[in-house]
Amino acid sequence: MATTLDFASPGPVTRSYRLVVNHYGFMKEQCRNGQPIEFPPFKAGDCSWCIYYYPNGRSTSSADYISIFIAGAGGRAVTDEPVKPRVSFTLLDRAGEPVPGHSCSGVCEYSKLDWYGCDLFIHKESLEASEYLVDDRLTIECVVSVERAYDLQQRLSLDPDVTFQVGGEAFSVHRCVLAAKSRVLEAELARESTLAAGACCIHIDDMLPQVFKSVLHFVYTDSLPEMTTGPEEESIMAEHLLVAAARFDMQELKLICEEILSSDINVNTVTKTLGLAVQHHCHMLRDACIEFLGDPPVLEAVMATDHDILELVAKNCPMLLKEMWAYEDDPMQDELAMCF
């Protein structure tokens, strides 16, 4: 018997996005007052959002401050109903905890013309003298909470009209929701519709049922299901979901998986993670791996257990090896020489 998924729970959809500003000093020197750094869009409540970070303030009156703003990034997925989310920005300390007194919150309307943010988020001199600027890196958490004000509930009241068979388990879902989230699935559903009238069944043989169920959870709720296991299991699931997101061309899900995996890079996982990032064109995850390997002792420690890492780095970031080449006393000179 097929399982009918019901993810249309009432209440807001809340999405947390951690904005990591690397090379704070460089950005401050390169950007003029009023010039923003635009971060990749993320999804919350069937809307795409984009964050704009102003290293030297958004206006002349905020030139001595950092400004932070958010706006709609276009491409509503399910509905054109008005959306007015509650947004908050919070400075995080080195442990990832909120810094008291450095947050702002408010309500904005989903529109490229309607921005929400804070001109005077934090004074630059105050930040630079504090412990919150870690290794020239600044972390700000943005939380977007969107009330479900669209007709998804009505759509889900209809009977499911497509079934997926995944690893021997059946999932009955709604093609209109899947088509809105993935062009790949939309094309597959259209192809199947020409082969059979009415409900159809699509087989996926190379994916675990629990992974596909998590994909469907994201399709219906714009969020991942809560993990009841530990961080290691969460990272393993994120790897599987990253592959699925690339396969189904679900960029928002892919970005979430990149964020999860970027936070779990260590000596034992970096080679596998970098390979995954390269294979599926995950630029943020790739850069996080390269940054982790930028410290020669770290790269040496990775090489001690994995000799494939140099070839990966040589192909994807040759400048890193060239920088290390400059250290004549580096114990890895022989290995580095073989890469050029």
Side-chain angles (χ1 to χ4, degrees):
M1 178 180 292
T3 300
T4 301
L5 302 177
D6 179 14
F7 296 123
S9 57
V13 175
T14 300
R15 173 86 162 88
S16 175
Y17 181 89
R18 286 202 172 184
L19 185 77
V20 179
V21 180
N22 291 305
H23 312 297
Y24 163 85
F26 176 78
M27 288 188 177
K28 175 183 167 184
E29 293 297 323
Q30 293 298 310
C31 294
R32 63 183 182 277
N33 174 241
Q35 180 180 1
I37 302 295
E38 181 177 342
F39 282 77
F42 64 97
K43 203 72 172 291
D46 288 305
C47 303
S48 291
W49 306 91
C50 200
I51 295 176
Y52 298 84
Y53 166 79
Y54 295 80
N56 290 300
R58 188 183 181 210
S59 60
T60 54
S61 61
S62 59
D64 293 330
Y65 290 79
I66 290 170
S67 300
I68 188 83
F69 280 80
I70 189 171
R76 294 288 299 280
V78 174
T79 180
D80 292 325
E81 291 292 324
V83 172
K84 293 186 177 181
R86 173 162 292 278
V87 179
S88 68
F89 291 104
T90 305
L91 178 67
L92 301 183
D93 63 19
R94 63 176 62 226
E97 297 297 324
V99 177
H102 291 292
S103 64
C104 61
S105 64
V107 176
C108 71
E109 185 168 340
Y110 180 83
S111 167
K112 285 186 176 181
L113 302 178
D114 187 12
W115 294 49
Y116 171 76
C118 184
D119 260 333
L120 310 178
F121 183 70
I122 185 170
H123 197 280
K124 289 182 290 186
E125 286 188 4
S126 173
L127 173 66
E128 291 159 13
S130 73
E131 59 180 341
Y132 308 128
L133 192 63
V134 182
D135 297 328
D136 206 33
R137 184 175 67 250
L138 172 67
T139 304
I140 300 171
E141 183 176 50
C142 174
V143 176
V144 180
S145 184
V146 182
E147 289 291 340
R148 297 178 181 272
Y150 47 82
D151 65 345
L152 183 57
Q153 288 275 12
Q154 181 179 354
R155 294 187 181 205
L156 293 182
S157 67
L158 303 173
D159 290 334
D161 52 6
V162 60
T163 299
F164 283 83
Q165 288 281 348
V166 184
E169 188 170 340
F171 299 89
S172 294
V173 291
H174 304 79
R175 69 174 67 224
C176 62
V177 180
L178 296 184
K181 292 292 188 176
S182 167
R183 290 178 296 177
V184 173
L185 287 173
E186 181 181 20
E188 179 65 17
L189 289 167
R191 187 186 73 84
E192 290 291 334
S193 295
T194 63
L195 302 178
C200 63
C201 182
I202 298 175
H203 291 265
I204 298 179
D205 299 321
D206 54 351
M207 186 177 296
L208 295 171
Q210 58 266 39
V211 174
F212 188 71
K213 185 173 183 179
S214 292
V215 170
L216 292 180
H217 191 286
F218 180 81
V219 164
Y220 279 86
T221 69
D222 282 323
S223 65
L224 293 181
E226 290 188 14
M227 294 289 295
T228 58
T229 52
E232 183 176 353
E233 289 74 13
E234 182 182 17
S235 292
I236 293 173
M237 175 58 78
E239 292 175 9
H240 286 291
L241 286 174
L242 179 63
V243 175
R247 173 176 176 171
F248 297 138
D249 191 22
M250 299 172 64
Q251 296 303 314
E252 294 84 5
L253 176 57
K254 185 177 173 183
L255 181 60
I256 292 175
C257 294
E258 287 188 63
E259 292 175 2
I260 295 173
L261 293 172
S262 294
S263 66
D264 192 39
I265 297 172
N266 56 57
V267 171
N268 298 318
T269 64
V270 65
T271 302
K272 181 181 180 181
T273 303
L274 179 57
L276 197 66
V278 171
Q279 180 182 356
H280 297 291
H281 309 288
C282 303
H283 302 297
M284 181 180 73
L285 185 58
R286 169 194 170 277
D287 291 347
C289 291
I290 295 300
E291 182 179 355
F292 177 78
L293 293 166
D295 187 10
V298 171
L299 182 54
E300 185 177 0
V302 176
M303 284 183 55
T305 57
D306 194 332
H307 298 291
D308 296 331
I309 189 63
L310 274 184
E311 183 179 355
L312 262 177
V313 174
K315 287 181 179 179
N316 294 282
C317 190
M319 288 304 300
L320 176 58
L321 295 190
K322 288 180 180 179
E323 289 176 7
M324 295 175 63
W325 184 264
Y327 296 97
E328 295 182 356
D329 297 330
D330 196 292
M332 294 186 293
Q333 282 298 305
D334 292 339
E335 289 89 344
L336 290 172
M338 296 173 62
C339 296
F340 294 95

